[in-house]
Structures are given as structure tokens and as C-alpha cells.
Amino acid sequence: MSEKSTSRPLAVFDIDNTLADTGHRQHFLERRPRDWTGFFGAAPADPPLARGVALAVESAADCEVVYLTGRPERCRADTLDWLARHGLPEGRLWMRGNQDRRPARTTKLEVLGRIARGREVRMLVDDDELVCRAARAAGFRVVQADWAGDAPELESAQEVEGRT
């Protein structure tokens, strides 16, 4: 790793409903039981959210961009392909373990703490209000992504089922 990359501050971006519009796949979460295979299987077709993508690209001028998602590890290849296909800056991708069902605010704050060791985190950009609140309480600068449509089933899944 170059000295430049380790000395630059970090800009940490969530993916779902921050960079990627999950609206077209919400119907998989409205069923009982929820169809997680269908929900994550449809992720490669997510349209990009212009405001989130622009902020990530803009941030890359001064920061090292990294991605912190609640998506499970089994979605890594599709997620990396999606990021590259939509012109997002290269950066490390932090994902939830395949069996990790803890709330997003717990898993993401744990990983954010690891990411921040010895590095300045300039900002966390995330759409989940509870993740944002927990990150602010931990002393991080947060930009809450409010540019995606409401996703009540996704919010429930993040907090109750620990799935994304």
C-alpha cells in the first residue's frame, strides 16, 4: 500500500439506498417469509443513485473511498462488479458475514471502529437513520443519505433481522 493511500482520510459509503436504488427489489421483502435470495439476486440490476455516486466520486479527490455495506459476503462479486460498472472509485469493500444477523447499527459501528484505527474518517455516508445516529454518538461525521425513496421493509430487515 502506498504512503499516499494510508495518509489520506477515509470517506466511508454505504451501498443500498445510498449509492444503489433498491426500490425495484423491495417486493422480495414484503413477502413472509422474506425472499432474501431474490432480494440479493436482483441487486446487480440496481440503478445508481446520482447524488450518492457524485458524492463518492467527488470525495475521491481528497479521500480514500471505502465501502461499508450490510450486504452479506456471498454478494461480494456482484457488488464489486456493480461498483465498477457505475464508475465508482476503487476502494476496499467491507461486508457483513454470511451468518451475521445483528442489527446494522451494531455491525457497521463495529467495522467502522476497525476502519478508523489509525486513520481519519472524514465522513460516513449512510441512509439508515439508526446507523447514522450511532455513528454520530461515536464521534463520526455523518452525511445521512436522504436521496432514495422510503424503504420501510428494508429498514425493518436492517434492524430486526440483521440482513442488510
Side-chain angles (χ1 to χ4, degrees):
M1 192 174 288
S2 73
E3 179 63 32
K4 182 179 179 184
S5 69
T6 58
S7 63
R8 297 174 77 202
L10 299 171
V12 182
F13 283 81
D14 172 46
I15 297 174
D16 290 336
N17 285 341
T18 298
L19 300 172
D21 186 349
T22 66
H24 72 102
R25 53 188 171 112
Q26 292 301 310
H27 64 94
F28 291 109
L29 302 182
E30 294 166 1
R31 305 173 183 168
R32 297 297 182 267
R34 298 181 200 266
D35 179 359
W36 290 106
T37 300
F39 181 75
F40 289 119
D46 288 353
L49 289 165
R51 285 180 59 193
V53 171
L55 184 56
V57 170
E58 178 184 306
S59 297
D62 297 322
C63 297
E64 178 182 341
V65 173
V66 299
Y67 303 95
L68 174 57
T69 181
R71 292 180 182 187
E73 184 63 42
R74 69 181 177 274
C75 299
R76 179 171 290 276
D78 283 345
T79 302
L80 288 170
D81 178 64
W82 188 93
L83 292 167
R85 193 165 12 107
H86 293 289
L88 282 135
E90 287 187 24
R92 184 162 181 186
L93 173 60
W94 298 79
M95 303 185 84
R96 174 190 294 274
N98 286 329
Q99 302 307 314
D100 189 342
R101 301 287 189 266
R102 295 174 296 156
R105 68 182 183 276
T106 303
T107 59
K108 285 188 174 181
L109 263 289
E110 181 181 287
V111 175
L112 192 57
R114 277 187 278 168
I115 291 171
R117 283 193 196 122
R119 298 288 299 273
E120 174 197 349
V121 174
R122 174 94 28 103
M123 68 179 157
L124 167 69
V125 184
D126 201 297
D127 68 304
D128 184 319
E129 184 176 338
L130 295 175
V131 169
C132 292
R133 190 178 307 154
R136 280 188 196 100
F140 292 99
R141 179 175 175 260
V142 174
V143 175
Q144 187 163 350
D146 60 1
W147 42 82
D150 288 337
E153 293 297 329
L154 182 60
E155 290 172 19
S156 170
Q158 289 171 325
E159 287 308 313
V160 177
E161 297 178 39
R163 291 290 195 132
T164 182

